Amino acid sequence: MNTVVPLEIESLSRLSTDILTKYGFSDQHATSIAKIITTCQIDDCHSHGLFRLLMCCETMKAGKIDGQALPVLQATEGAVTRIDAQQGMSLLAFEAGLPRLIENTRKHGIAALAINRCFHFSALWPEVEQLSSVGLVAMAMVPSHSWVAPAGGKRGTLGTNPLAFSWPRSGQDPFTFDFATSGFARGEIELYLRAGKPLPEGVAVDKDGHPTTDPQTALDGAMLTFGGYKGSALSIMIELLAGPLIDDLTSMESMTFAEGKGGAPYHGELIIAFDPDHFSGGQTVRNDARAERLFADIVDQGARLPSQRRFDARARNIARGYVEIPAALLEDLETLRNGD
């Protein structure tokens, strides 16, 4: 039985920072990582919540990440901001580049933030929602490790390659989606393995390219893209935009860089923001109403907007003051915090 236990929200960040600093992350990095982990856990995004602390520690033990690195913002007068994470986690670099991205988007109508030389483990929706919270439309994307076979293939060439998008809505939660272009996120398969559950059909293949529902066999073989050739093409697009376009690694190159060691993938990230006021010619209010009519018609016919379950979980967990996590995971995390 997969027993769950309550953990007070106020304990989430403390547990995370205690573990991260113990494993060599600076206070700045630990704070930025803990913030994103806490945000995900409160929204019941289990694959990117406290579970990701295991990967953060594994990444540090692999010996390539710099837990003390400070990102370097490159001076530019154009709409593209570049920031070098200096082989640190991506989140501190995102925080450092966010004000410039917002400023440039207000100025130019569209702007981009390219984060280079970063280790990345986190969900993208918290980043795009920081932009939609100030009235901007945003999208973000990253490659990963070459765990995913292209449509028609049988070995890993592509990454899980997530894409996130957020649209601001006045007085309401934004319209947000964040999904891997693989059928499952890597973290989801790892959670199935921990829970001893079989995967759905069509998620992965074994080393010989045969379909499998066994999580470990899937991790040893290759994952599959969603939607066949359509998902595969979208994944290749993300490889190009968040790789060669911004002078950074593809998922295959990230895998080579890792040299078979565990931990988070090493690559770049691309975030693009749009100012609705610029694009609509100052008619934001009128066009927001158009968007709301679209959302209303979707909901009216019984469909659910993306992220609605996540927003519901956030409201529920904040109201009761705690989250529920697997007892085995909490035990593992306490061992990390208290072990030698």
Side-chain angles (χ1 to χ4, degrees):
M1 181 179 294
N2 299 311
T3 306
V4 297
V5 294
L7 182 64
E8 293 183 354
I9 288 176
E10 63 183 27
S11 300
L12 287 173
S13 181
R14 185 168 62 251
L15 174 62
S16 299
T17 54
D18 284 352
I19 292 172
L20 292 163
T21 53
K22 180 168 185 169
Y23 274 78
F25 289 96
S26 69
D27 289 343
Q28 286 176 285
H29 274 290
T31 299
S32 66
I33 295 170
K35 185 186 303 180
I36 214 83
I37 284 175
T38 298
T39 298
C40 289
Q41 194 65 57
I42 290 173
D43 281 16
D44 281 356
C45 183
H46 297 287
S47 63
H48 289 80
L50 289 171
F51 173 68
R52 287 292 174 168
L53 287 169
L54 303 176
M55 174 179 273
C56 291
C57 296
E58 187 180 8
T59 302
M60 187 61 74
K61 288 189 290 186
K64 294 204 170 188
I65 191 171
D66 185 346
Q68 309 294 315
L70 293 177
V72 176
L73 190 67
Q74 299 180 8
T76 177
E77 295 184 1
V80 177
T81 297
R82 296 176 60 84
I83 187 162
D84 187 341
Q86 301 279 319
Q87 288 193 215
M89 279 294 186
S90 64
L91 297 170
L92 195 60
F94 173 78
E95 289 180 359
L98 181 60
R100 178 72 64 84
L101 175 59
I102 293 173
E103 177 185 349
N104 279 345
T105 308
R106 299 287 191 213
K107 178 179 179 181
H108 299 288
I110 183 171
L113 174 63
I115 302 174
N116 292 113
R117 299 207 304 149
C118 68
F119 287 83
H120 190 277
F121 74 90
S122 52
L124 295 175
W125 61 260
E127 297 181 357
V128 292
E129 285 190 359
Q130 287 186 62
L131 288 157
S132 62
S133 71
V134 296
L136 302 178
V137 177
M139 61 193 304
M141 63 196 79
V142 291
S144 59
H145 277 339
S146 52
W147 290 313
V148 182
K154 61 182 181 181
R155 68 173 181 270
T157 299
L158 308 172
T160 54
N161 296 6
L163 174 68
F165 174 85
S166 192
W167 175 279
R169 301 177 67 192
S170 179
Q172 301 184 67
D173 292 320
F175 171 86
T176 304
F177 67 76
D178 178 1
F179 55 75
T181 49
S182 55
F184 260 37
R186 186 78 171 181
E188 288 181 292
I189 294 180
E190 291 168 346
L191 287 176
Y192 269 70
L193 178 63
R194 287 178 67 91
K197 295 165 52 181
L199 297 170
E201 298 283 350
V203 169
V205 292
D206 64 17
K207 290 181 178 180
D208 298 315
H210 301 132
T212 183
T213 59
D214 179 74
Q216 187 59 62
T217 302
L219 293 173
D220 294 337
M223 302 160 67
L224 298 175
T225 60
F226 76 85
Y229 286 94
K230 294 180 180 180
S232 184
L234 187 59
S235 182
I236 295 168
M237 179 197 75
I238 292 170
E239 289 279 347
L240 298 173
L241 291 180
L245 180 70
I246 64 170
D247 187 32
D248 220 307
L249 304 185
T250 64
S251 295
M252 288 194 301
E253 291 169 329
S254 175
M255 185 74 88
T256 299
F257 176 86
E259 296 179 317
K261 298 178 181 179
Y266 177 72
H267 47 67
E269 177 180 0
L270 177 64
I271 304 103
I272 306 171
F274 311 81
D275 186 345
D277 196 53
H278 277 259
F279 275 86
S280 67
Q283 299 300 317
T284 303
V285 173
R286 182 171 69 189
N287 288 286
D288 279 349
R290 283 195 170 103
E292 289 304 318
R293 287 194 293 273
L294 171 65
F295 298 142
D297 195 67
I298 292 169
V299 174
D300 182 65
Q301 55 188 291
R304 176 177 56 83
L305 293 177
S307 292
Q308 190 55 57
R309 283 185 294 191
R310 184 167 58 79
F311 295 139
D312 292 343
R314 179 189 303 173
R316 180 181 64 252
N317 289 333
I318 290 176
R320 67 187 184 180
Y322 67 88
V323 298
E324 292 182 337
I325 66 171
L329 175 60
L330 183 58
E331 182 178 348
D332 288 343
L333 296 177
E334 290 292 355
T335 298
L336 288 177
R337 176 158 67 175
N338 300 319
D340 295 330

